[in-house]
Amino acid sequence: MKTDLILLFFVLFSFGSCISDEESARQVNSGFQGNWSGNFTGDDNGSVTFVVQKEGTIVGEINLLPSNIKESINGYVNFDGKFDMNTKSNYRFSGYLKDSKSNGIWTKNNLTGNFSFQKE
C-alpha cells in the first residue's frame, strides 16, 4: 500500500513537472525588445518596421515599393532569437534576430528574396 502511494505520487509529480517546448519558449522580458527596421529585395521590394514587445510579440508594417502599399505584419520571437512574421497577404519573414541585426530569406507563395533588419 505504501509503495503504491509512493509510486502514484512519483507519477503525478512527473506529469506536473513537464514543460512543453511552447511554454519554455515564452518570455517575460525579451532580450530582443525594441524598434527594428530594414529592407527586403528580390521578387518584391520594400521596407519593414516592427517592434518586439517585452513578451516577444512582434507588431509592425511592411511598405511595398514602388507602389507604397502598406500592410500590417505580426509575429513572435523566441528566447533564442528565432522569429516568424507574417502578413495577411502571406508575406513571410523568418530567421534569427541576433544582437542588433538579422539577415535571411522572405517568401510569399512562389515569390522570394532577401531581407536585412537592424535594431534602432
Side-chain angles (χ1 to χ4, degrees):
M1 175 72 174
K2 188 175 183 181
T3 305
D4 291 339
L5 188 58
I6 291 172
L7 183 59
L8 177 63
F9 175 78
F10 179 76
V11 170
L12 291 175
F13 180 76
S14 295
F15 284 124
S17 65
C18 293
I19 299 175
S20 71
D21 290 337
E22 182 180 332
E23 288 179 49
S24 67
R26 293 178 202 234
Q27 303 170 69
V28 175
N29 198 11
S30 174
F32 303 99
Q33 65 184 304
N35 296 318
W36 293 74
S37 63
N39 298 303
F40 62 98
T41 58
D43 294 330
D44 270 340
N45 298 293
S47 61
V48 181
T49 57
F50 61 94
V51 176
V52 176
Q53 299 173 333
K54 72 178 194 172
E55 65 281 346
T57 323
I58 297 172
V59 293
E61 181 177 78
I62 69 169
N63 184 15
L64 297 167
L65 299 174
S67 65
N68 211 30
I69 295 173
K70 297 181 181 187
E71 192 173 345
S72 295
I73 192 163
N74 296 295
Y76 186 79
V77 60
N78 290 329
F79 67 94
D80 63 355
K82 177 155 181 27
F83 75 94
D84 288 294
M85 296 188 298
N86 300 290
T87 68
K88 288 186 179 182
S89 69
N90 209 26
Y91 282 93
R92 181 169 190 228
F93 296 80
S94 61
Y96 284 86
L97 297 179
K98 297 179 182 176
D99 298 322
S100 62
K101 64 182 177 177
S102 178
N103 297 303
I105 296 173
W106 65 269
T107 61
K108 178 187 179 189
N109 304 325
N110 60 345
L111 303 177
T112 189
N114 298 306
F115 68 80
S116 177
F117 302 144
Q118 296 277 343
K119 188 172 184 182
E120 297 175 358

